[in-house]
Coordinates of all heavy atoms in Angstrom, one line a residue:
G1 N -23.0 -22.8 -4.1 CA -23.2 -21.4 -4.0 C -23.0 -20.9 -2.6 O -22.4 -19.8 -2.4
A2 N -23.4 -21.7 -1.6 CA -23.2 -21.2 -0.2 C -21.8 -21.1 0.1 O -21.4 -20.2 0.9 CB -23.9 -22.2 0.7
Y3 N -21.0 -22.1 -0.3 CA -19.5 -22.0 0.0 C -18.9 -20.7 -0.7 O -18.0 -20.1 -0.1 CB -18.8 -23.2 -0.6 CG -19.1 -24.5 0.2 CD1 -19.6 -25.6 -0.3 CD2 -18.8 -24.5 1.6 CE1 -19.9 -26.7 0.4 CE2 -19.1 -25.6 2.4 CZ -19.6 -26.7 1.7 OH -19.9 -27.8 2.5
L4 N -19.4 -20.4 -1.9 CA -18.8 -19.1 -2.5 C -19.3 -17.9 -1.7 O -18.5 -16.9 -1.6 CB -19.3 -19.1 -3.9 CG -18.6 -20.1 -4.9 CD1 -19.3 -20.1 -6.2 CD2 -17.2 -19.8 -5.0
H5 N -20.5 -17.9 -1.2 CA -21.0 -16.8 -0.4 C -20.1 -16.7 0.9 O -19.8 -15.6 1.3 CB -22.5 -16.9 -0.1 CG -23.3 -16.4 -1.2 ND1 -23.3 -15.1 -1.7 CD2 -24.3 -17.0 -1.9 CE1 -24.2 -15.0 -2.7 NE2 -24.8 -16.1 -2.8
F6 N -19.8 -17.8 1.5 CA -19.0 -17.8 2.6 C -17.6 -17.3 2.3 O -17.0 -16.5 3.1 CB -18.9 -19.2 3.2 CG -18.0 -19.3 4.4 CD1 -18.4 -18.8 5.7 CD2 -16.7 -19.8 4.3 CE1 -17.6 -18.9 6.8 CE2 -15.9 -19.9 5.5 CZ -16.3 -19.4 6.7
A7 N -17.0 -17.7 1.2 CA -15.7 -17.2 0.8 C -15.7 -15.7 0.5 O -14.8 -15.0 0.9 CB -15.2 -18.0 -0.5
R8 N -16.8 -15.3 0.0 CA -17.0 -13.8 -0.2 C -17.0 -13.1 1.1 O -16.4 -12.0 1.2 CB -18.3 -13.5 -1.0 CG -18.5 -12.1 -1.2 CD -19.8 -11.8 -2.0 NE -20.0 -10.4 -2.1 CZ -20.9 -9.7 -1.4 NH1 -21.6 -10.3 -0.4 NH2 -21.0 -8.4 -1.5
S9 N -17.7 -13.6 2.1 CA -17.7 -12.9 3.4 C -16.3 -12.9 4.0 O -15.9 -11.9 4.6 CB -18.7 -13.6 4.4 OG -18.2 -14.9 4.8
V10 N -15.5 -13.9 3.8 CA -14.1 -13.9 4.3 C -13.3 -12.9 3.5 O -12.5 -12.2 4.1 CB -13.5 -15.3 4.2 CG1 -12.0 -15.3 4.5 CG2 -14.2 -16.3 5.1
S11 N -13.5 -12.8 2.2 CA -12.7 -11.8 1.4 C -13.1 -10.4 1.8 O -12.3 -9.5 1.8 CB -12.9 -12.1 -0.1 OG -14.1 -11.8 -0.5
R12 N -14.4 -10.2 2.1 CA -14.8 -8.8 2.5 C -14.2 -8.5 3.9 O -13.8 -7.3 4.1 CB -16.4 -8.8 2.6 CG -17.0 -8.9 1.2 CD -16.8 -7.8 0.3 NE -17.6 -6.7 0.8 CZ -17.5 -5.5 0.2 NH1 -16.8 -5.3 -0.8 NH2 -18.2 -4.5 0.7
R13 N -14.1 -9.5 4.8 CA -13.5 -9.2 6.1 C -12.0 -8.9 5.8 O -11.5 -7.9 6.5 CB -13.6 -10.5 6.9 CG -13.1 -10.2 8.4 CD -13.2 -11.5 9.2 NE -14.4 -12.2 9.0 CZ -14.5 -13.5 8.9 NH1 -13.4 -14.2 9.0 NH2 -15.7 -14.1 8.7
A14 N -11.3 -9.6 5.0 CA -9.9 -9.3 4.7 C -9.8 -7.9 4.1 O -8.9 -7.1 4.4 CB -9.4 -10.3 3.7
E15 N -10.8 -7.5 3.3 CA -10.8 -6.1 2.7 C -10.9 -5.1 3.7 O -10.2 -4.1 3.7 CB -11.9 -6.0 1.7 CG -11.9 -4.7 0.9 CD -13.1 -4.7 -0.1 OE1 -13.8 -5.7 -0.3 OE2 -13.2 -3.7 -0.8
R16 N -11.8 -5.3 4.7 CA -11.9 -4.3 5.8 C -10.6 -4.2 6.6 O -10.2 -3.1 7.0 CB -13.1 -4.7 6.7 CG -14.4 -4.4 6.1 CD -15.6 -4.6 7.0 NE -15.7 -6.0 7.6 CZ -16.3 -7.0 7.1 NH1 -17.0 -6.8 5.9 NH2 -16.4 -8.1 7.7
I17 N -10.0 -5.4 6.9 CA -8.8 -5.4 7.7 C -7.7 -4.6 6.9 O -6.9 -3.8 7.5 CB -8.4 -6.8 8.0 CG1 -9.3 -7.4 9.0 CG2 -6.9 -6.9 8.5 CD1 -9.2 -8.9 9.2
L18 N -7.6 -4.9 5.6 CA -6.6 -4.3 4.8 C -6.8 -2.8 4.7 O -5.9 -2.0 4.7 CB -6.6 -4.9 3.4 CG -5.5 -4.4 2.4 CD1 -4.1 -4.6 3.0 CD2 -5.6 -5.2 1.1
T19 N -8.1 -2.4 4.6 CA -8.4 -0.9 4.5 C -8.0 -0.3 5.8 O -7.4 0.8 5.8 CB -9.9 -0.7 4.3 OG1 -10.2 -1.3 3.1 CG2 -10.2 0.7 4.3
N20 N -8.2 -0.9 7.0 CA -7.8 -0.3 8.3 C -6.3 -0.2 8.3 O -5.8 0.7 8.8 CB -8.4 -1.2 9.4 CG -8.1 -0.6 10.7 OD1 -8.1 0.6 10.9 ND2 -8.0 -1.4 11.7
Y21 N -5.6 -1.3 7.8 CA -4.1 -1.2 7.8 C -3.6 -0.1 7.0 O -2.7 0.6 7.4 CB -3.6 -2.6 7.4 CG -2.1 -2.7 7.3 CD1 -1.4 -2.8 8.5 CD2 -1.4 -2.6 6.1 CE1 0.0 -2.8 8.4 CE2 -0.1 -2.6 6.0 CZ 0.7 -2.8 7.2 OH 2.0 -2.8 7.2
I22 N -4.2 0.1 5.8 CA -3.7 1.1 4.9 C -4.0 2.5 5.5 O -3.1 3.4 5.4 CB -4.5 1.0 3.5 CG1 -3.9 -0.2 2.8 CG2 -4.3 2.3 2.7 CD1 -4.7 -0.5 1.5
D23 N -5.1 2.7 6.2 CA -5.4 4.0 6.9 C -4.4 4.3 7.9 O -4.1 5.5 8.1 CB -6.8 3.9 7.5 CG -7.9 4.0 6.5 OD1 -7.6 4.3 5.3 OD2 -9.0 3.6 6.8
N24 N -3.8 3.3 8.6 CA -2.8 3.5 9.6 C -1.4 3.4 9.1 O -0.4 3.4 9.9 CB -3.0 2.6 10.8 CG -4.4 2.8 11.4 OD1 -4.8 4.0 11.6 ND2 -5.1 1.7 11.7
F25 N -1.2 3.2 7.8 CA 0.1 2.9 7.2 C 0.8 4.3 6.8 O 0.1 5.2 6.5 CB -0.1 2.1 6.0 CG 1.2 1.5 5.4 CD1 1.9 0.5 6.1 CD2 1.7 2.0 4.2 CE1 3.1 0.0 5.6 CE2 2.9 1.4 3.7 CZ 3.6 0.4 4.4
D26 N 2.1 4.3 6.8 CA 2.8 5.5 6.4 C 2.6 5.7 4.9 O 3.1 4.9 4.1 CB 4.3 5.3 6.7 CG 5.2 6.5 6.3 OD1 4.6 7.5 6.1 OD2 6.4 6.3 6.2
Q27 N 1.9 6.7 4.6 CA 1.6 7.0 3.2 C 2.8 7.4 2.3 O 2.7 7.3 1.1 CB 0.5 8.1 3.1 CG -0.8 7.8 3.8 CD -1.5 6.6 3.2 OE1 -1.4 6.4 2.0 NE2 -2.1 5.8 4.0
D28 N 3.9 7.8 2.9 CA 5.0 8.1 2.1 C 5.8 6.9 1.6 O 6.7 7.1 0.8 CB 6.0 9.0 2.9 CG 5.3 10.4 3.3 OD1 4.4 10.8 2.5 OD2 5.6 11.0 4.3
S29 N 5.5 5.8 2.1 CA 6.2 4.6 1.8 C 6.0 4.2 0.3 O 4.8 4.3 -0.2 CB 5.9 3.4 2.7 OG 6.5 2.2 2.3
S30 N 7.0 3.6 -0.3 CA 6.8 3.2 -1.7 C 5.9 2.0 -1.8 O 5.4 1.7 -2.9 CB 8.2 3.0 -2.4 OG 8.8 1.9 -1.7
S31 N 5.8 1.2 -0.7 CA 5.0 0.0 -0.8 C 3.5 0.3 -0.7 O 2.7 -0.6 -0.8 CB 5.4 -1.0 0.3 OG 5.3 -0.4 1.6
S32 N 3.1 1.5 -0.4 CA 1.7 1.9 -0.3 C 1.0 1.6 -1.7 O -0.2 1.2 -1.7 CB 1.5 3.3 0.1 OG 2.0 4.2 -0.8
E33 N 1.7 1.8 -2.8 CA 1.1 1.4 -4.1 C 0.7 0.0 -4.2 O -0.3 -0.4 -4.7 CB 2.0 1.8 -5.2 CG 2.2 3.3 -5.4 CD 3.1 3.7 -6.5 OE1 3.2 2.8 -7.5 OE2 3.7 4.7 -6.5
N34 N 1.6 -0.9 -3.6 CA 1.3 -2.3 -3.6 C 0.1 -2.6 -2.8 O -0.7 -3.5 -3.1 CB 2.5 -3.1 -3.1 CG 3.7 -3.0 -4.1 OD1 3.5 -2.8 -5.3 ND2 4.9 -3.2 -3.6
L35 N 0.0 -1.9 -1.7 CA -1.2 -2.2 -0.8 C -2.5 -1.8 -1.5 O -3.5 -2.5 -1.4 CB -1.0 -1.4 0.5 CG 0.1 -1.9 1.5 CD1 0.2 -0.9 2.6 CD2 -0.3 -3.3 1.9
Y36 N -2.5 -0.7 -2.2 CA -3.7 -0.3 -3.0 C -4.0 -1.3 -4.1 O -5.2 -1.6 -4.3 CB -3.5 1.1 -3.5 CG -3.7 2.2 -2.4 CD1 -2.6 2.9 -2.0 CD2 -4.9 2.4 -1.8 CE1 -2.8 3.9 -1.0 CE2 -5.1 3.3 -0.8 CZ -4.0 4.1 -0.4 OH -4.1 5.0 0.5
S37 N -3.0 -1.8 -4.7 CA -3.2 -2.9 -5.7 C -3.8 -4.1 -5.1 O -4.7 -4.7 -5.6 CB -1.9 -3.2 -6.4 OG -1.4 -2.1 -7.1
L38 N -3.3 -4.5 -3.9 CA -3.8 -5.6 -3.2 C -5.3 -5.4 -2.8 O -6.1 -6.3 -2.9 CB -2.9 -5.9 -2.0 CG -3.4 -7.1 -1.1 CD1 -3.4 -8.4 -1.9 CD2 -2.4 -7.2 0.1
L39 N -5.5 -4.2 -2.3 CA -6.9 -3.9 -1.9 C -7.9 -4.0 -3.1 O -9.0 -4.5 -3.0 CB -7.0 -2.5 -1.3 CG -8.3 -2.0 -0.9 CD1 -8.9 -2.8 0.3 CD2 -8.2 -0.5 -0.4
S40 N -7.4 -3.5 -4.3 CA -8.2 -3.6 -5.5 C -8.5 -5.0 -5.9 O -9.6 -5.4 -6.2 CB -7.5 -2.8 -6.6 OG -8.3 -2.9 -7.8
F41 N -7.4 -5.8 -5.8 CA -7.6 -7.3 -6.1 C -8.6 -7.9 -5.2 O -9.5 -8.7 -5.6 CB -6.2 -8.0 -6.0 CG -6.3 -9.5 -6.1 CD1 -6.5 -10.0 -7.4 CD2 -6.3 -10.3 -5.0 CE1 -6.6 -11.4 -7.5 CE2 -6.4 -11.6 -5.2 CZ -6.6 -12.2 -6.4
V42 N -8.5 -7.7 -3.9 CA -9.4 -8.3 -2.9 C -10.8 -7.9 -3.2 O -11.8 -8.7 -3.1 CB -8.9 -8.0 -1.5 CG1 -10.0 -8.5 -0.4 CG2 -7.6 -8.7 -1.2
N43 N -11.0 -6.6 -3.5 CA -12.3 -6.1 -3.8 C -12.9 -6.8 -5.1 O -14.1 -7.2 -5.1 CB -12.3 -4.6 -4.1 CG -13.6 -4.0 -4.4 OD1 -14.0 -3.9 -5.6 ND2 -14.4 -3.7 -3.4
R44 N -12.1 -6.9 -6.1 CA -12.6 -7.6 -7.3 C -12.8 -9.1 -7.1 O -13.7 -9.7 -7.6 CB -11.5 -7.5 -8.5 CG -11.4 -6.0 -8.9 CD -12.7 -5.5 -9.5 NE -12.5 -4.1 -9.8 CZ -13.2 -3.1 -9.2 NH1 -14.1 -3.5 -8.3 NH2 -13.1 -1.9 -9.5
L45 N -12.0 -9.7 -6.2 CA -12.2 -11.1 -5.8 C -13.6 -11.3 -5.2 O -14.3 -12.2 -5.5 CB -11.1 -11.6 -4.9 CG -11.3 -13.0 -4.3 CD1 -11.2 -14.0 -5.4 CD2 -10.2 -13.3 -3.3
S46 N -13.9 -10.4 -4.2 CA -15.2 -10.5 -3.6 C -16.4 -10.3 -4.6 O -17.4 -11.0 -4.5 CB -15.3 -9.6 -2.4 OG -15.3 -8.2 -2.8
D47 N -16.2 -9.4 -5.5 CA -17.2 -9.2 -6.6 C -17.3 -10.5 -7.4 O -18.5 -10.9 -7.7 CB -16.8 -8.1 -7.5 CG -16.9 -6.7 -6.9 OD1 -17.5 -6.6 -5.8 OD2 -16.3 -5.8 -7.5
W48 N -16.2 -11.1 -7.8 CA -16.3 -12.3 -8.6 C -16.9 -13.5 -7.8 O -17.8 -14.2 -8.4 CB -14.9 -12.8 -9.0 CG -14.9 -14.0 -9.9 CD1 -15.1 -14.0 -11.2 CD2 -14.9 -15.3 -9.5 NE1 -15.1 -15.2 -11.7 CE2 -15.0 -16.1 -10.7 CE3 -14.7 -16.0 -8.3 CZ2 -14.9 -17.5 -10.6 CZ3 -14.7 -17.4 -8.2 CH2 -14.8 -18.1 -9.4
L49 N -16.6 -13.6 -6.5 CA -17.2 -14.7 -5.7 C -18.7 -14.5 -5.6 O -19.5 -15.4 -5.7 CB -16.6 -14.7 -4.3 CG -15.1 -15.2 -4.3 CD1 -14.5 -14.9 -2.9 CD2 -15.1 -16.7 -4.6
F50 N -19.2 -13.2 -5.5 CA -20.6 -12.9 -5.4 C -21.3 -13.4 -6.7 O -22.3 -14.0 -6.8 CB -20.8 -11.4 -5.2 CG -22.3 -11.0 -5.2 CD1 -23.1 -11.3 -4.2 CD2 -22.8 -10.4 -6.3 CE1 -24.5 -10.9 -4.2 CE2 -24.1 -10.0 -6.4 CZ -24.9 -10.2 -5.3
T51 N -20.7 -13.0 -7.9 CA -21.2 -13.3 -9.2 C -21.2 -14.8 -9.4 O -22.2 -15.3 -9.9 CB -20.4 -12.6 -10.3 OG1 -20.4 -11.2 -10.0 CG2 -21.0 -12.8 -11.6
A52 N -20.2 -15.5 -9.0 CA -20.1 -16.9 -9.2 C -21.1 -17.6 -8.4 O -21.8 -18.6 -8.8 CB -18.7 -17.4 -8.9
A53 N -21.3 -17.2 -7.2 CA -22.3 -17.8 -6.3 C -23.7 -17.6 -6.9 O -24.5 -18.5 -6.9 CB -22.2 -17.2 -4.9
R54 N -24.0 -16.4 -7.3 CA -25.3 -16.1 -7.9 C -25.5 -17.0 -9.2 O -26.6 -17.5 -9.4 CB -25.4 -14.7 -8.3 CG -25.4 -13.7 -7.1 CD -26.6 -13.8 -6.3 NE -27.8 -13.4 -7.1 CZ -28.9 -13.1 -6.5 NH1 -29.1 -13.2 -5.3 NH2 -29.9 -12.8 -7.3
Y55 N -24.5 -17.2 -10.0 CA -24.6 -18.0 -11.2 C -24.9 -19.4 -10.8 O -25.8 -20.1 -11.4 CB -23.3 -17.9 -12.0 CG -23.2 -18.9 -13.1 CD1 -24.0 -18.6 -14.3 CD2 -22.5 -20.0 -13.1 CE1 -24.0 -19.5 -15.3 CE2 -22.5 -20.9 -14.1 CZ -23.2 -20.7 -15.3 OH -23.2 -21.5 -16.3
L56 N -24.2 -20.0 -9.8 CA -24.4 -21.4 -9.4 C -25.8 -21.6 -8.8 O -26.4 -22.6 -9.0 CB -23.3 -21.8 -8.4 CG -22.0 -22.1 -9.0 CD1 -21.0 -22.5 -7.9 CD2 -22.0 -23.2 -10.1
N57 N -26.3 -20.6 -8.1 CA -27.6 -20.7 -7.5 C -28.7 -20.6 -8.5 O -29.8 -21.0 -8.2 CB -27.7 -19.6 -6.4 CG -26.9 -20.0 -5.2 OD1 -26.6 -21.1 -4.9 ND2 -26.7 -19.0 -4.4
T58 N -28.5 -20.1 -9.7 CA -29.5 -20.0 -10.7 C -29.6 -21.3 -11.5 O -30.5 -21.4 -12.4 CB -29.3 -18.8 -11.6 OG1 -28.1 -19.0 -12.3 CG2 -29.4 -17.5 -10.9
R59 N -28.7 -22.2 -11.2 CA -28.7 -23.5 -12.0 C -29.3 -24.6 -11.1 O -29.2 -24.6 -9.9 CB -27.3 -23.8 -12.4 CG -26.7 -22.8 -13.3 CD -25.3 -23.1 -13.6 NE -25.3 -24.5 -14.2 CZ -24.5 -24.9 -15.1 NH1 -23.6 -24.1 -15.5 NH2 -24.6 -26.1 -15.6
G60 N -29.9 -25.6 -11.7 CA -30.3 -26.8 -11.0 C -31.5 -26.6 -10.1 O -32.4 -25.8 -10.3
E61 N -31.4 -27.3 -8.9 CA -32.6 -27.3 -8.0 C -32.8 -25.9 -7.3 O -33.9 -25.7 -6.9 CB -32.3 -28.3 -6.9 CG -32.3 -29.7 -7.5 CD -31.9 -30.8 -6.4 OE1 -31.9 -30.4 -5.2 OE2 -31.7 -31.9 -6.8
N62 N -31.8 -25.1 -7.2 CA -32.0 -23.8 -6.5 C -32.5 -22.7 -7.4 O -32.7 -21.6 -7.0 CB -30.6 -23.4 -5.9 CG -30.2 -24.2 -4.8 OD1 -31.0 -24.8 -4.1 ND2 -28.9 -24.4 -4.7
K63 N -32.8 -23.1 -8.6 CA -33.2 -22.1 -9.6 C -34.5 -21.3 -9.2 O -34.5 -20.1 -9.3 CB -33.5 -22.8 -11.0 CG -33.8 -21.8 -12.1 CD -34.0 -22.6 -13.4 CE -34.2 -21.6 -14.5 NZ -34.3 -22.3 -15.8
D64 N -35.4 -21.9 -8.6 CA -36.7 -21.2 -8.2 C -36.5 -20.5 -6.9 O -37.4 -19.7 -6.6 CB -37.8 -22.2 -8.2 CG -38.1 -22.8 -9.5 OD1 -37.9 -22.1 -10.5 OD2 -38.6 -24.0 -9.6
R65 N -35.5 -20.8 -6.1 CA -35.4 -20.2 -4.8 C -34.5 -19.0 -4.7 O -34.3 -18.4 -3.7 CB -34.9 -21.3 -3.8 CG -35.9 -22.3 -3.5 CD -35.5 -23.3 -2.4 NE -34.6 -24.2 -3.1 CZ -33.8 -25.1 -2.4 NH1 -33.9 -25.2 -1.1 NH2 -33.1 -26.0 -3.1
E66 N -33.8 -18.7 -5.8 CA -32.9 -17.6 -5.9 C -33.6 -16.3 -5.9 O -34.5 -16.1 -6.7 CB -32.0 -17.7 -7.1 CG -30.9 -16.7 -7.1 CD -29.9 -16.9 -6.0 OE1 -29.8 -17.9 -5.4 OE2 -29.1 -15.9 -5.8
T67 N -33.3 -15.4 -5.0 CA -33.9 -14.0 -5.0 C -33.2 -13.1 -5.9 O -31.9 -13.1 -6.0 CB -33.8 -13.5 -3.6 OG1 -34.4 -14.4 -2.6 CG2 -34.5 -12.1 -3.5
I68 N -33.9 -12.4 -6.7 CA -33.3 -11.5 -7.7 C -32.7 -10.3 -6.9 O -33.4 -9.7 -6.1 CB -34.4 -10.9 -8.7 CG1 -35.1 -12.1 -9.4 CG2 -33.8 -9.9 -9.6 CD1 -34.1 -12.9 -10.3
W69 N -31.5 -10.0 -7.2 CA -30.7 -8.9 -6.5 C -30.9 -7.7 -7.4 O -30.7 -7.7 -8.6 CB -29.3 -9.2 -6.4 CG -28.5 -8.1 -5.8 CD1 -28.4 -7.8 -4.4 CD2 -27.6 -7.2 -6.4 NE1 -27.6 -6.7 -4.2 CE2 -27.1 -6.3 -5.4 CE3 -27.3 -7.0 -7.7 CZ2 -26.2 -5.3 -5.8 CZ3 -26.4 -6.0 -8.0 CH2 -25.9 -5.2 -7.1
K70 N -31.3 -6.6 -6.7 CA -31.5 -5.3 -7.5 C -30.7 -4.3 -6.7 O -30.8 -4.0 -5.5 CB -33.0 -4.9 -7.5 CG -33.8 -5.8 -8.2 CD -35.3 -5.4 -8.2 CE -36.2 -6.4 -8.9 NZ -37.6 -6.1 -8.8
P71 N -29.8 -3.6 -7.5 CA -29.0 -2.5 -6.8 C -29.8 -1.4 -6.4 O -30.8 -1.1 -7.1 CB -27.9 -2.2 -7.9 CG -28.6 -2.6 -9.2 CD -29.5 -3.7 -8.9
K72 N -29.4 -0.7 -5.4 CA -30.1 0.5 -5.0 C -29.9 1.6 -6.0 O -28.8 1.8 -6.6 CB -29.6 1.0 -3.6 CG -30.0 0.0 -2.5 CD -29.5 0.5 -1.2 CE -29.9 -0.5 -0.1 NZ -29.4 0.0 1.2
D73 N -30.9 2.5 -6.2 CA -30.8 3.6 -7.1 C -29.9 4.7 -6.6 O -29.8 5.0 -5.5 CB -32.1 4.1 -7.5 CG -32.9 3.1 -8.3 OD1 -32.3 2.3 -9.0 OD2 -34.1 3.1 -8.3

């Protein structure tokens, strides 16, 4: 689970870098659609890594130590 959380932090960093790149990119370019698709993929990847880490942490010895995550209202 810890490795997945680490991978998620790396993917979130990549997402921030990509967002900064897109903000400074020529919006008239036809490749901007590909950049938005890539950004969407990286975002979904970080979501999946979070969910996978939480799933693994609820199994086995870590079951009692996992903190319940509650989204903000």
Side-chain angles (χ1 to χ4, degrees):
Y3 288 122
L4 289 172
H5 278 302
F6 179 76
R8 178 178 177 262
S9 69
V10 172
S11 70
R12 296 291 288 177
R13 187 179 321 136
E15 186 178 357
R16 287 189 300 271
I17 291 169
L18 185 57
T19 300
N20 189 29
Y21 179 75
I22 289 172
D23 288 343
N24 296 318
F25 192 72
D26 181 16
Q27 299 297 326
D28 295 333
S29 175
S30 62
S31 62
S32 65
E33 291 181 26
N34 293 335
L35 290 174
Y36 284 111
S37 295
L38 180 60
L39 181 62
S40 178
F41 173 78
V42 172
N43 181 269
R44 296 295 173 245
L45 175 64
S46 66
D47 290 345
W48 184 87
L49 290 167
F50 175 77
T51 304
R54 297 290 297 194
Y55 173 76
L56 285 179
N57 285 338
T58 60
R59 300 179 55 147
E61 296 175 8
N62 293 329
K63 186 176 185 177
D64 297 330
R65 291 186 279 173
E66 186 66 18
T67 305
I68 302 297
W69 178 79
K70 295 179 183 176
K72 293 181 181 180
D73 292 332

